[in-house]
Structures are given as structure tokens and as C-alpha cells.
Amino acid sequence: MTTKVQMVHGGMTDFNIYHGYPEALVRGMRCSFLSDADYHHLTQCESLDDIKLNLAESDYSAAVADSDNLTPSGFQGVAVQKMVTEFTYLRTQCVEPLSTFLDFITYEYMIENIMLLLKGALSGRNINELLAQCHPLGMFKASTMRSIPTFEPNARGFADLYQTVLVDTPVGPYFAMFLQESSEKGGGAVRNVIEEVEIEIIKSSLIKYWIEDFYQFCMKLGGDTAEIMGELLKVRADTNAINITLNSFGTSLNEPAMRISDRKRLYPSVGHLYPAGTAMLADVSNEEELGRVLELFPAYSGIWNIHSTGNDKSIDDAFYERDVQQLELAFEGQMHFGVFYAYVKLKEQEIRNLVWITECVLQQQKDEIEKFVPVFSFHAPWRGGKKK
């Protein structure tokens, strides 16, 4: 009898046999990011036509050449579509388990799209307008996307939505987990759950399940993938926990009874803050108490100080800067899947930078135009360069 040896995905024995080509592709795509010189030229632009002209000298040249929509949202759409095209090509070159890993990346966008459609349906917005705002990486077939916002805003409608539409989507298991947990908590029927909970709470719960599921998948892969992705997802989980706590102040989630029963359930069960930190976060009632908890964790005390001292840099900017540093480090290793996740997230940051610059140019806010986080910049603080 032959014993099957389980190989670690990320070792030198078989990685290049199965995943060497897509890894080479994504590492080559690193050259497509805007350079320091590109950012300098963009920040000197006086109009959106100037921005298009400067982008024609970058990797976005083909993407912007045929675009007549010279608006921040137009540039954003072009950049997102370019990223999606590259990601889709990478996905077609993959075999298991890398193909499943890339699918996990898309699940986050699926959740965001579903929540966008649900929220839009509740407010009576036009379905075509909602579909245009959905992220291409999280799209289902057209019939499924159009079915999501057509439910009736009542208990029966929500139940039918899950049973007939969401159950067949890749993120259906996360909805099942949310409904099961909520029904057990409330003691009522599953169909009575969704209407009683705000859309943002549902979204936070689904993202929590996705992070936990993705983390477990990466841990099973082992090797450098487990180490690098484990760290990235732990930081992502901590960021979610901090933001959930901060955004709950002034809402019903900050009521004493709701902190333990509802808010604590939204914290992922992975991360550097879990379990001691998240247990303390569940008890905080204001920003001062939140700051005292984060002071116990050096990795987050500095970020919180930026927020609490009224610095020009927001807490989101501090998180983005920290994320870019860690995501860039993923490109320094070899033979692991983390580089694919890092590529997508760094492209997201580049698109945010592009939107910020175009908005500042459009509104003639040149004093604010430098407030972005460049990717693979030689002037980044963690490379020994000077802050802008």
C-alpha cells in the first residue's frame, strides 16, 4: 500500500511545477505600478486632460486611450477594469489549490456587491444604477445580480432571497452561518432574522466569516503561504475589530447590553488582538477607553496616536500605509500565494491614489493632493526615505 505524502504548497519541491508560471506573471505585473516619477507628474497636472495625457506614458496607456469619460469615477472605472482583466488572466492560468485561493480573494467583493444591492433595494434606488456600482470581481451571472434587489422588504422576502438566490452563490455558506447564529441568538425562525438587523452589521458578520474561512484555508496550505497570508489576514482582522468598535460609538451597538451580545460577535476569531484584545474591545464605551486598550498593543498604539492627536493623517490613512508596507514585503518572498493577494490589494491602493489625485485636480485642491500612499515608492518611510 502506497502512503500518500501531503506536500506543502510553498516549498521548493513542487511549487514551480504547478504554480511557477502564474507567479512569474504576477511578479512581472509589479512593473505596471505607477512610479514615483508618474506620481510627481500627476500631482503637477492642472486639468483631467493633463492627467489622461500623463497616464498615456504609464501602463494605463491602452486603458485610457479609448476613454472619453474624463471624471474621477471614469478614471476609477478604467483602472478597476484593467485590474480585473489582469486578475482574470491570472485565474485562467492556475490549478488547485491556487485557483481556490484566488477565488477566496473574489469572495470579499461578492459580499460587498450583495450588500450594496440589498442596501440600494431598501432605499428604492434604480437597479441599473446599483449594478453599475458593483465591483467586477464580485459579479455573478446577470440573472442572479438582478434577482438580489427584487425581494420584498419583509421577513418572507428575505427568506426567499436566501433560499432561492444566495444559497447557490460561493458566499452562500457565510449567509447560512449568519442566519443560523442570529436565529439561535434570537430564538426565532431564520426567516425573521435579516429584517431585524442593519445591513452594515450583516456585512461585518459576513466579512468576519470570510476572514476566518480564508485564514483556515491558508493555514492548511502551510509553508510560506501560511506564514505570510496568516500575518496579512491577522492584521486585516484586527483592523476590522478596531473599525467596528470605533464606528459603533454613538449607535445602538455601543449600548451596554449590545456590546457583548452583538458587537463582540462581529470581531473575527483570528488576529493579534484575539482573544484578549477583542475581549477588552467589547467593554469599551468611548474613544478614550479604546485608546487605553490599543496602548497595550505596540503595533496599534502608534496608529491610534495619529487618530487621537488630530493629525492631518486619518486613522484610515495610517492603516493604508501600514497595509502597503506589509503587502510590499509579500513580494520579497518566493514560492508562496501571498503575492497574488498582495498584488490585488496594492492595485486597490493605487486606484485610491488615482481617484484622490483626480478629485484634487478637479476641485483645485492642490494643497491636499500629496495626501496619498504610493506603492513601491523609493521614498517610503520604511525604505529609509523621507516622508512627503
Side-chain angles (χ1 to χ4, degrees):
M1 181 177 179
T2 304
T3 302
K4 184 178 180 180
V5 179
Q6 184 176 1
M7 303 302 292
V8 175
H9 300 281
M12 297 178 64
T13 52
D14 64 350
F15 188 91
N16 282 337
I17 297 175
Y18 300 108
H19 314 301
Y21 180 60
E23 187 195 25
L25 287 175
V26 76
R27 290 185 181 280
M29 290 177 180
R30 173 176 172 170
C31 299
S32 69
F33 286 95
L34 295 173
S35 66
D36 288 334
D38 292 327
Y39 280 118
H40 174 72
H41 293 150
L42 289 173
T43 56
Q44 304 304 309
C45 292
E46 297 294 335
S47 67
L48 296 185
D49 286 304
D50 292 342
I51 288 181
K52 181 178 180 180
L53 186 63
N54 278 277
L55 288 177
E57 302 297 324
S58 69
D59 199 62
Y60 288 99
S61 58
V64 300
D66 299 326
S67 176
D68 296 324
N69 188 6
L70 294 182
T71 63
S73 61
F75 284 114
Q76 180 182 21
V78 166
V80 168
Q81 192 55 55
K82 177 178 178 295
M83 181 190 75
V84 171
T85 301
E86 293 168 350
F87 181 87
T88 303
Y89 180 71
L90 285 173
R91 177 64 179 80
T92 61
Q93 307 302 316
C94 298
V95 297
E96 291 292 352
L98 179 55
S99 54
T100 298
F101 180 90
L102 295 186
D103 289 341
F104 263 106
I105 295 176
T106 66
Y107 293 168
E108 179 182 9
Y109 302 102
M110 293 180 186
I111 293 172
E112 291 179 349
N113 284 352
I114 292 172
M115 290 299 102
L116 173 64
L117 293 174
L118 290 178
K119 193 171 184 179
L122 289 174
S123 59
R125 294 176 60 188
N126 181 274
I127 184 173
N128 292 320
E129 178 185 338
L130 293 173
L131 290 174
Q133 294 180 6
C134 289
H135 198 288
L137 277 184
M139 298 294 281
F140 307 111
K141 59 183 180 181
S143 59
T144 299
M145 297 297 290
R146 290 188 171 274
S147 297
I148 293 173
T150 59
F151 70 94
E152 296 182 8
N154 54 45
R156 182 68 184 179
F158 283 118
D160 291 342
L161 171 67
Y162 169 70
Q163 294 170 0
T164 62
V165 179
L166 300 182
V167 70
D168 293 325
T169 65
V171 294
Y174 304 145
F175 281 89
M177 293 168 64
F178 169 76
L179 292 170
Q180 183 64 28
E181 183 180 274
S182 299
S183 63
E184 290 175 354
K185 172 181 172 290
V190 167
R191 68 177 55 185
N192 293 325
V193 172
I194 298 183
E195 66 172 356
E196 300 169 356
V197 185
E198 295 179 4
I199 294 294
E200 288 303 318
I201 296 180
I202 301 176
K203 180 180 176 180
S204 295
S205 297
L206 298 177
I207 293 295
K208 165 196 169 181
Y209 299 135
W210 167 74
I211 291 175
E212 293 171 350
D213 195 19
F214 199 3
Y215 180 83
Q216 293 302 324
F217 176 78
C218 292
M219 291 302 101
K220 290 179 182 178
L221 291 178
D224 287 349
T225 296
E227 181 180 351
I228 293 171
M229 281 304 300
E231 177 63 23
L232 291 174
L233 291 175
K234 283 180 180 179
V235 170
R236 173 65 187 277
D238 291 344
T239 303
N240 274 27
I242 294 171
N243 282 330
I244 287 170
T245 306
L246 186 60
N247 294 333
S248 71
F249 300 147
T251 70
S252 59
L253 276 180
N254 197 38
E255 296 176 2
M258 297 280 283
R259 293 174 201 160
I260 300 298
S261 63
D262 289 77
R263 192 172 73 186
K264 187 177 181 179
R265 292 192 302 118
L266 301 178
Y267 300 150
S269 59
V270 298
H272 298 296
L273 295 177
Y274 179 82
T278 51
M280 289 187 284
L281 288 180
D283 293 327
V284 304
S285 60
N286 53 55
E287 290 195 10
E288 184 179 347
E289 294 178 4
L290 174 58
R292 285 200 294 267
V293 171
L294 295 181
E295 285 293 334
L296 302 175
F297 299 88
Y300 301 108
S301 60
I303 291 177
W304 180 254
N305 288 336
I306 291 174
H307 171 78
S308 60
T309 56
N311 196 297
D312 287 341
K313 186 186 297 182
S314 69
I315 190 171
D316 287 334
D317 291 334
F319 279 134
Y320 288 148
E321 191 171 280
R322 184 273 322 273
D323 291 344
V324 166
Q325 178 182 1
Q326 292 191 323
L327 292 166
E328 287 180 0
L329 287 175
F331 275 83
E332 302 304 320
Q334 298 286 332
M335 300 181 182
H336 65 85
F337 294 168
V339 67
F340 295 91
Y341 177 83
Y343 174 75
V344 173
K345 293 304 176 181
L346 288 173
K347 272 296 177 182
E348 278 188 2
Q349 181 60 49
E350 182 173 85
I351 294 170
R352 279 193 292 268
N353 294 343
L354 187 58
V355 172
W356 177 262
I357 292 172
T358 53
E359 287 284 4
C360 288
V361 170
L362 184 64
Q363 299 175 24
Q364 298 298 311
Q365 297 290 331
K366 284 300 188 73
D367 293 340
E368 305 290 324
I369 202 169
E370 297 283 347
K371 295 181 179 179
F372 59 88
V373 185
V375 177
F376 292 116
S377 171
F378 289 109
H379 304 300
W382 52 90
R383 287 199 172 86
K386 296 180 180 180
K387 292 185 179 182
K388 295 183 300 179

